């Protein structure tokens, strides 16, 4: 490493330490802040000597003034102000030194630095990359490496439809750390990451703990070469907890979608040239990112819901055993079968989803139980305060819903670690959710040894161009122009209907779930045909 590169490395390292110290201070981890600050002060001494050698006397004076204010805030134990001063006063000065030093900058041969690690750990990949030239890749005008204020490189790529920055133009490492913190989940030990970029995200994930492993999939050899040619990534290449896979069509990644924890580097998706594949992966990204974004809300709901100390829904098994049960969902077909519920057998039970509660009550039909599973706040609008109908609620359902009812029964779900831990501790049953309130309710009823389960409003398609039954909380009309974005499915009447991906996934989950069940299952609907059930159209049902 030459003298100029040593300067750059010192400045970059110091700026990274300052950013780390700022994070610790704002998290009120003052011990770690102090540890970082000791190293920062040592490096600042070196930077002051560097400034003196460069003749930057004004910068030295400004840095000294900045430290007078920083130390004053520190002595007053005002850590918030201390962090602010580091960010607002010192970081800009280090940026200015970095920019001043660029006039003597020479490109480090990072390929030579990284290739030894690459050849040892990934010999096949090394051979593929060795024949590529960084200069030729950049000459294509598809890829552009740019400097940032932090001294680290960022990457601009011409995707299939637009030019996309893969990393921050200001501080790629800090941006990667924030993303890593957002997607990291301590309950997972294996992470499958789509998109390498310049390696900042997998490096940040690697720093999250000392036990998890990360499999990184990249479909563009040029990007791997650019990473190895523009920065020191030996830590990433040598770590035994990271496996880098060149996956041209991402078929290997696809085969692992059901394993471990999936993480998407969203900008990398825009480098997928196959339009259908891009749409497929972007759908996965939206679904998975939605789950990640909801995780904090789910944790809050779980904590609040457990304060009620309710029994598990399984205590109702004796009450439901041997009974005919009507599972009432909110699909459009419910409009045609609602009246038939008034003539149900006297000892039959009604279990309805939260969406349909008010519609049934308006018709003078009061269900025995209602079910909610969604963690989002809008769920509370479905239930009136002081509701008498007992509630079956998922452990992560929006907590205010439970507060609105007089009696509740807890549903502990598979796949959510805190719920699994609670179930194991109490010897309680775990239920499959299938992704929706209807599938959750069905799984519960299948465990209760009912003699027959009659499903109403479980259309699993947009019947008559409607999403839900009239008068339900989610009802809206779906124009035929939307059909081109929907999936064609077989209808109960033998016709072709259209369904969004989520309803199709729910239907397939139901078909797999009921395959080996002996209970009599009836789907009363004009919606999608559900294999494994006795499918009856609404007209034929009403004629009975």
């Amino acid at each position: 490493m030459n003298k100029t590169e040593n300067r750059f490395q010192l400045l970059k390292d110091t700026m990274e330490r300052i950013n780390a110290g700022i994070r610790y201070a704002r998290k009120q981890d003052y011990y770690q802040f102090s540890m970082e600050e000791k190293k920062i002060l040592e490096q600042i001494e070196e930077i002051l000597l560097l400034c003196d050698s460069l003749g930057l006397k004004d910068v030295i004076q400004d840095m000294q003034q900045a430290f007078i204010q920083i130390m004053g805030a520190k002595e007053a134990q005002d850590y918030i102000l201390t962090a602010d001063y580091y960010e607002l006063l010192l970081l800009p000065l280090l940026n200015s030194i970095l920019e001043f030093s660029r006039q003597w900058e020479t490109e480090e041969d990072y390929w030579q630095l990284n290739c030894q690690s690459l050849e040892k750990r990934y010999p096949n990949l090394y051979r593929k990359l060795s024949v590529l030239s960084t200069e030729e890749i950049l000459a294509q005008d598809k890829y552009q490496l740019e400097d940032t204020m932090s001294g680290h490189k960022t990457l601009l790529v011409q995707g299939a439809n637009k030019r996309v920055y893969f990393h921050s133009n200001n501080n790629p490492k800090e941006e990667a750390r924030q993303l890593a913190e957002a997607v990291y989940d301590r309950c997972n030990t294996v992470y499958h990451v789509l998109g390498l970029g310049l390696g900042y995200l997998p490096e940040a994930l690697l720093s999250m703990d000392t036990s998890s492993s990360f499999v990184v999939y990249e479909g563009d050899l040029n990007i791997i070469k650019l990473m190895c040619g523009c920065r020191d990534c030996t830590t990433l290449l040598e770590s035994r907890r990271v496996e880098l896979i060149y996956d041209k069509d991402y078929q290997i990644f696809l085969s692992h979608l059901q394993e471990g924890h999936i993480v998407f580097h969203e900008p990398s998706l825009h480098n997928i040239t196959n339009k259908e594949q891009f749409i497929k992966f972007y759908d996965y990204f939206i679904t998975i990112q939605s789950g990640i974004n909801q995780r904090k809300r789910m944790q809050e709901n779980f904590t609040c819901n457990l304060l009620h100390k309710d029994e598990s829904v399984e205590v109702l098994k004796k009450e439901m055993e041997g009974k005919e049960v009507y599972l009432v969902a909110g699909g459009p077909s419910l409009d045609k079968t609602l009246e038939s519920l008034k003539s149900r057998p006297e000892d039959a039970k009604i279990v309805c989803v939260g969406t349909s509660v008010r519609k049934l009550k308006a018709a003078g039909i009061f269900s025995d139980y209602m079910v909610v599973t969604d963690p989002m706040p809008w769920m509370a609008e479905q239930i009136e305060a002081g509701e008498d109908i007992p509630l079956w609620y998922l452990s992560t359902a929006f907590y205010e819903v439970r507060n609105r009812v007089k009696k509740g029964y807890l549903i502990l779900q598979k796949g959510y670690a805190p719920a699994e831990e609670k179930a194991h501790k109490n010897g309680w049953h775990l239920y499959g959710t299938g992704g929706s309130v209807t599938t959750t309710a069905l799984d519960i009823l299948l465990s209760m040894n009912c003699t027959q389960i009659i499903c109403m409003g479980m259309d699993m398609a947009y019947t008559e161009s409607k999403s839900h039954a009239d008068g339900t909380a989610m009802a809206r009309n779906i124009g035929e122009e939307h059909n081109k974005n929907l999936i064609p499915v077989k209808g109960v009447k033998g016709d072709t209907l259209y369904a969004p991906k989520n309803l199709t996934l729910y239907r397939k989950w139901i078909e797999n779930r009921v395959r080996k069940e002996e209970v009599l299952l009836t789907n009363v609907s004009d919606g999608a045909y559900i294999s494994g059930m006795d499918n009856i159209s609404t007209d034929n049902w009403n004629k009975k």
Side-chain angles (χ1 to χ4, degrees):
M1 190 176 291
N2 61 43
K3 186 176 180 181
T4 302
E5 189 57 36
N6 274 326
R7 292 173 182 167
F8 272 79
Q9 198 58 50
L10 172 63
L11 289 164
K12 288 190 290 186
D13 287 348
T14 306
M15 291 163 73
E16 283 179 36
R17 289 199 183 282
I18 291 173
N19 278 313
I22 291 168
R23 284 196 303 272
Y24 287 129
R26 288 172 178 167
K27 290 178 180 178
Q28 301 184 146
D29 187 345
Y30 300 139
Y31 173 78
Q32 286 296 336
F33 170 72
S34 297
M35 293 298 100
E36 287 293 339
E37 192 174 45
K38 284 181 182 179
K39 297 170 185 173
I40 290 168
L41 294 175
E42 292 172 4
Q43 290 176 316
I44 289 295
E45 289 294 330
E46 294 183 55
I47 291 172
L48 287 171
L49 292 173
L50 169 62
C51 290
D52 187 55
S53 70
L54 296 174
L56 301 176
K57 294 185 179 181
D58 289 344
V59 175
I60 293 174
Q61 190 173 25
D62 289 342
M63 288 181 69
Q64 290 171 339
Q65 289 297 318
F67 265 101
I68 290 174
Q69 293 181 267
I70 289 170
M71 291 301 113
K74 181 76 180 296
E75 288 172 11
Q77 295 186 325
D78 188 338
Y79 290 98
I80 290 177
L81 185 58
T82 304
D84 283 346
Y85 282 158
Y86 268 112
E87 184 174 46
L88 299 173
L89 301 179
L90 192 56
L91 277 179
L93 288 172
L94 297 180
N95 275 324
S96 68
I97 302 169
L98 194 70
E99 286 302 308
F100 182 80
S101 300
R102 287 196 192 280
Q103 61 186 300
W104 299 296
E105 182 178 8
T106 58
E107 286 296 327
E108 179 78 5
D109 191 350
Y110 285 108
W111 171 252
Q112 291 302 318
L113 178 67
N114 292 316
C115 69
Q116 186 175 354
S117 302
L118 191 64
E119 184 177 16
K120 183 178 179 181
R121 183 82 195 282
Y122 305 102
N124 292 333
L125 181 58
Y126 169 73
R127 284 191 286 273
K128 288 184 174 70
L129 295 176
S130 294
V131 299
L132 299 177
S133 163
T134 300
E135 291 73 18
E136 291 178 3
I137 294 170
L138 294 175
Q140 297 177 27
D141 198 37
K142 177 179 178 179
Y143 311 91
Q144 188 174 327
L145 288 171
E146 296 182 5
D147 293 315
T148 68
M149 294 291 288
S150 64
H152 301 290
K153 297 287 187 182
T154 188
L155 176 64
L156 177 63
V157 177
Q158 176 63 56
N161 300 306
K162 61 180 180 179
R163 291 170 72 82
V164 179
Y165 275 100
F166 272 38
H167 308 289
S168 165
N169 281 285
N170 179 42
N171 192 333
K173 283 203 167 186
E174 183 62 22
E175 176 226 12
R177 170 170 280 278
Q178 291 180 25
L179 177 55
E181 288 177 348
V183 300
Y184 175 74
D185 184 351
R186 65 179 178 82
C187 298
N188 293 286
T189 56
V190 180
Y191 291 71
H192 295 276
V193 184
L194 185 148
L196 172 68
L198 296 181
Y200 298 117
L201 175 58
E203 281 179 351
L205 285 168
L206 191 61
S207 69
M208 291 291 103
D209 65 30
T210 59
S211 59
S212 299
S213 58
F214 307 91
V215 187
V216 184
Y217 305 82
E218 177 53 57
D220 188 341
L221 278 175
N222 291 331
I223 285 181
I224 305 176
K225 179 72 175 189
L226 288 175
M227 179 192 76
C228 293
C230 78
R231 56 185 299 265
D232 180 356
C233 46
T234 52
T235 300
L236 186 66
L237 295 172
E238 293 175 3
S239 174
R240 290 292 166 181
R241 293 196 291 125
V242 176
E243 182 181 2
L244 175 58
I245 295 177
Y246 169 53
D247 189 8
K248 184 177 180 182
D249 299 314
Y250 291 112
Q251 294 305 304
I252 303 173
F253 175 80
L254 272 173
S255 68
H256 292 286
L257 271 178
Q258 304 304 319
E259 303 173 17
H261 188 58
I262 303 300
V263 175
F264 284 92
H265 179 242
E266 189 269 346
S268 293
L269 293 174
H270 296 282
N271 198 31
I272 296 174
T273 55
N274 183 296
K275 185 177 180 180
E276 290 184 4
Q277 190 181 42
F278 169 78
I279 293 171
K280 181 177 184 178
F281 277 116
Y282 214 87
D283 284 347
Y284 280 128
F285 163 70
I286 294 298
T287 301
I288 288 171
Q289 195 61 38
S290 175
I292 291 171
N293 294 340
Q294 285 189 14
R295 188 167 63 211
K296 184 176 180 180
R297 187 183 302 279
M298 291 169 68
Q299 291 170 347
E300 178 185 9
N301 290 336
F302 182 83
T303 300
C304 293
N305 283 332
L306 260 61
L307 294 176
H308 293 281
K309 301 186 185 302
D310 287 329
E311 296 178 291
S312 168
V313 68
E314 66 198 82
V315 301
L316 301 174
K317 183 174 181 178
K318 287 186 179 180
E319 178 187 333
M320 308 294 283
E321 196 169 20
K323 296 289 197 309
E324 181 178 282
V325 179
Y326 290 79
L327 172 55
V328 182
S333 294
L334 180 59
D335 288 328
K336 298 180 180 179
T337 58
L338 190 63
E339 285 298 312
S340 69
L341 285 171
K342 295 179 179 179
S343 57
R344 67 189 182 279
E346 189 173 335
D347 64 343
K349 300 287 185 179
I350 296 179
V351 176
C352 79
V353 301
T355 309
S356 304
V357 173
R358 294 190 179 186
K359 183 177 178 68
L360 266 65
K361 289 174 72 174
I365 302 168
F366 294 85
S367 57
D368 296 278
Y369 299 100
M370 57 184 178
V371 190
V372 297
T373 60
D374 200 296
M376 302 304 288
W378 61 265
M379 284 299 300
E381 299 172 7
Q382 296 183 354
I383 311 300
E384 296 177 1
E387 179 61 72
D388 286 324
I389 300 173
L391 174 72
W392 297 359
Y393 64 101
L394 202 63
S395 67
T396 53
F398 183 52
Y399 66 88
E400 180 60 28
V401 177
R402 174 59 185 91
N403 293 339
R404 286 173 169 252
V405 302
K406 295 180 179 179
K407 180 68 177 175
Y409 296 91
L410 185 65
I411 306 167
L412 293 171
Q413 69 267 43
K414 297 175 183 176
Y416 185 64
E420 291 182 340
E421 184 179 340
K422 178 72 173 177
H424 178 74
K425 181 179 179 181
N426 292 306
W428 289 351
H429 189 79
L430 283 166
Y431 297 95
T433 65
S436 76
V437 61
T438 305
T439 47
T440 303
L442 181 60
D443 191 74
I444 295 169
L445 292 175
L446 287 170
S447 74
M448 289 184 166
N449 298 332
C450 310
T451 55
Q452 183 177 9
I453 301 172
I454 301 167
C455 301
M456 291 185 170
M458 200 164 74
D459 291 50
M460 298 299 159
Y462 288 155
T463 312
E464 297 182 353
S465 297
K466 292 196 296 186
S467 66
H468 291 77
D470 294 336
T472 61
M474 302 287 287
R476 72 182 194 278
N477 291 321
I478 307 295
E480 289 190 9
E481 67 273 11
H482 287 84
N483 287 352
K484 61 184 179 182
N485 298 318
L486 302 174
I487 300 168
V489 296
K490 176 185 175 182
V492 171
K493 295 180 176 181
D495 51 349
T496 298
L497 302 174
Y498 293 88
K501 179 176 290 185
N502 64 321
L503 293 184
T504 302
L505 291 174
Y506 302 155
R507 175 177 57 81
K508 290 180 178 178
W509 185 91
I510 291 170
E511 291 174 341
N512 288 328
R513 178 64 181 86
V514 304
R515 188 171 294 153
K516 296 181 180 179
E517 292 291 335
E518 296 182 1
V519 62
L520 182 58
L521 293 158
T522 305
N523 174 34
V524 181
S525 167
D526 293 334
Y529 184 94
I530 302 176
S531 297
M533 288 189 167
D534 182 17
N535 292 271
I536 303 177
S537 69
T538 58
D539 287 342
N540 289 337
W541 176 261
N542 291 331
K543 290 176 184 176
K544 290 178 63 177

